[in-house]
């Protein structure tokens, strides 16, 4: 696996949660973080968290139909996917899950997915 590309103001990070025993559309909806809306320090933190998720990808336990996963991706300004990763939820850094939650709040407040 490879590390995520450096995040620039043109980068868009997508976070999607899937799987689990029950399907909740609100939790499954992809969330987007437009890097132009965050500071350079926040982009650095986000990149570090994506790298940590990538590093933990090999640590997940065996497959299970009821396990939740996070699908993470980075796109450029044109929508081209530069990097992607699917990992078990338990290997995702808690701070990245917090970014996922805040991205949802931002989308609700601004009407921008």
């Amino acid at each position: 696996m490879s590390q995520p590309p450096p995040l620039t103001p043109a980068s868009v990070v997508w976070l999607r949660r899937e799987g689990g025993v029950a399907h909740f559309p609100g939790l499954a909806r992809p969330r987007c973080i437009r890097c132009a809306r965050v500071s350079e320090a926040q982009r650095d933190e986000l990149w570090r968290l994506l790298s940590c998720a990538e590093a933990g990808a090999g640590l997940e336990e065996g497959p299970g139909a009821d396990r939740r996963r996070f699908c993470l991706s980075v796109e450029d300004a044109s929508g081209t996917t530069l990097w992607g990763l699917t990992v078990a939820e338990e290997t995702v850094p808690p701070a990245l899950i917090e970014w996922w939650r805040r991205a949802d709040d931002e989308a609700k407040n601004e009407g921008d997915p």
Side-chain angles (χ1 to χ4, degrees), residues 12-18 23-34 69-73 75 99-108 111-113:
V12 178
V13 177
W14 287 94
L15 310 165
R16 188 176 76 242
R17 190 182 203 187
E18 58 182 37
H23 176 73
F24 298 100
L27 293 178
R29 184 178 56 79
R31 277 96 184 219
C32 146
I33 300 168
R34 298 185 191 284
R69 297 171 303 282
F70 267 87
C71 299
L72 313 168
S73 65
E75 295 180 354
W99 273 92
W100 173 76
R101 287 187 179 114
R102 284 186 287 169
D104 182 48
D105 290 341
E106 178 181 310
K108 286 179 187 175
D112 186 19

Side-chain angles (χ1 to χ4, degrees), residues 1-82:
M1 289 188 221
S2 64
Q3 288 190 329
L7 299 179
T8 68
S11 301
V12 178
V13 177
W14 287 94
L15 310 165
R16 188 176 76 242
R17 190 182 203 187
E18 58 182 37
V21 176
H23 176 73
F24 298 100
L27 293 178
R29 184 178 56 79
R31 277 96 184 219
C32 146
I33 300 168
R34 298 185 191 284
C35 290
R37 296 182 182 172
V38 300
S39 69
E40 184 175 352
Q42 289 172 313
R43 285 194 305 273
D44 290 345
E45 175 195 5
L46 185 55
W47 182 87
R48 184 183 54 76
L49 293 169
L50 292 172
S51 296
C52 287
E54 190 277 329
L59 303 176
E60 56 192 73
E61 298 173 11
D66 62 343
R67 295 182 62 213
R68 286 195 296 246
R69 297 171 303 282
F70 267 87
C71 299
L72 313 168
S73 65
V74 176
E75 295 180 354
D76 63 15
S78 67
T80 301
T81 301
L82 305 174

